[in-house]
Amino acid sequence: MHQPAPSAHPRHRTVEAPAGRLHLVEEGTGPLVLLVHGFPESWYSWRRQLPALAAAGYRAVAFDVRGYGRSSKPAATDAYRMLDLVEDNLALVRALGEESAVIVGHDWGSTIAAVSALLHPEVFRAVGLLSVPYAPPGGPRPTDVFARMGGDQEFYVSYFQEPGRAEAEMEPDLRGWLAGFYAAVSADTMPARGEPDPHFVARTGGRLRDRFPRGELPAWLTQDDLDVYAGEFERTGMTGALNRYRNMDRDWEDLAPYGGAPIEQPSLFIGGALDASTTWMADAIEAYPTTLPGLVSSHILDGCGHWIQQERPEEVNHLLTAWLASLRS
């Protein structure tokens, strides 16, 4: 199967949104497909999907979520709550002159896409979820759950909660930190079974990077790709990206009225068999007949890690375009 190369002439622009401005990259014409990235990424994470979707007859738009890249970075921590990100997505669809869109997300973008579809089915007519399964709002307070994980170790989401703490680890050597983080959850470079889990840190003086692989980059990540990611975060810092994690309890409160709610629209899930998001949330995947009654197809890619659309672009592009085609029939 031919892998589309990134377009030499993607269209970059910014549009007005509640965040202030959102930077987007657009390719193709046809029905709108909105692509939402995760942590710590940018629109660039969809560089292999934009030309493939455009070639299949879609208007593919990837953008920098607020706090990332060339989009605005509000100062307040609570400006990164899920409801605000959903409003950004609505504004983006309107700014593009459209009334509806298919929304596809990866990592945090998967959750943002899912909540956008849950709250606004009149706009987001279908939803694709990559790496992170849909779990309806509800359950215990998130920070309480994370605090109980790991025993004498601290879960990375808990580690991210205190403003400035994780930044102090990351920002002195952003390029090196990103390289290690990407490698830690990529199929070909992740630690072997039995080695210390990079999702946890020692509770006293621990750093995430202490458990990152050293040396070789994962096969999907070139030095030039790493330069792009590092360049964006060197300019913006990490606080905007980390503030997403610092709003999980606020999201839990905001979305309480939707506790247990299913997403009814046509949906797609693609996960990596070696991704902790897939294995830790296996119960969420098993619940899809109830939580995603409109599910068209669900796929677990053998031998694939977390960065699914970058590790396995050909397969993901094939699955995405086949699913999108089914929405037209």
Side-chain angles (χ1 to χ4, degrees), residues 83-154:
L83 293 182
D84 289 333
L85 301 179
V86 170
E87 288 301 314
D88 283 347
N89 292 346
L90 291 171
L92 187 51
V93 173
R94 290 192 294 267
L96 292 166
E98 303 283 357
E99 296 182 356
S100 66
V102 174
I103 189 166
V104 179
H106 169 256
D107 183 76
W108 261 121
S110 176
T111 306
I112 296 167
V115 177
S116 297
L118 177 65
L119 271 56
H120 293 282
E122 77 285 358
V123 174
F124 301 105
R125 60 188 181 88
V127 58
L129 310 174
L130 274 57
S131 297
V132 175
Y134 174 62
R141 183 179 294 274
T143 55
D144 292 342
V145 174
F146 301 136
R148 292 193 294 268
M149 296 177 65
D152 61 350
Q153 304 175 84
E154 185 176 17

Side-chain angles (χ1 to χ4, degrees), residues 67 73 75 77 80 164 167 171 236-244 246:
K73 187 177 72 172
T77 300
Y80 296 83
E167 289 94 326
E171 291 180 353
T236 64
M238 296 299 294
T239 298
L242 288 163
N243 278 344
R244 174 82 292 273
R246 295 165 183 161

Side-chain angles (χ1 to χ4, degrees), residues 150-188:
D152 61 350
Q153 304 175 84
E154 185 176 17
F155 191 48
Y156 79 100
V157 178
S158 298
Y159 177 67
F160 285 171
Q161 292 301 309
E162 181 185 342
R165 184 184 178 198
E167 289 94 326
E169 171 187 340
M170 300 171 183
E171 291 180 353
D173 174 26
L174 267 171
R175 194 177 193 278
W177 192 90
L178 290 169
F181 188 79
Y182 296 144
V185 289
S186 295
D188 57 335

Side-chain angles (χ1 to χ4, degrees), residues 34-49:
L34 197 61
L35 303 169
V36 192
H37 70 79
F39 173 91
E41 303 181 79
S42 75
W43 76 267
Y44 189 74
S45 302
W46 301 103
R47 63 194 176 281
R48 297 292 182 185
Q49 283 65 56

Side-chain angles (χ1 to χ4, degrees), residues 310-324:
Q310 299 180 87
E311 290 187 49
R312 303 283 272 274
E314 295 180 10
E315 289 172 78
V316 169
N317 291 347
H318 173 73
L319 293 171
L320 279 176
T321 53
W323 172 65
L324 289 167

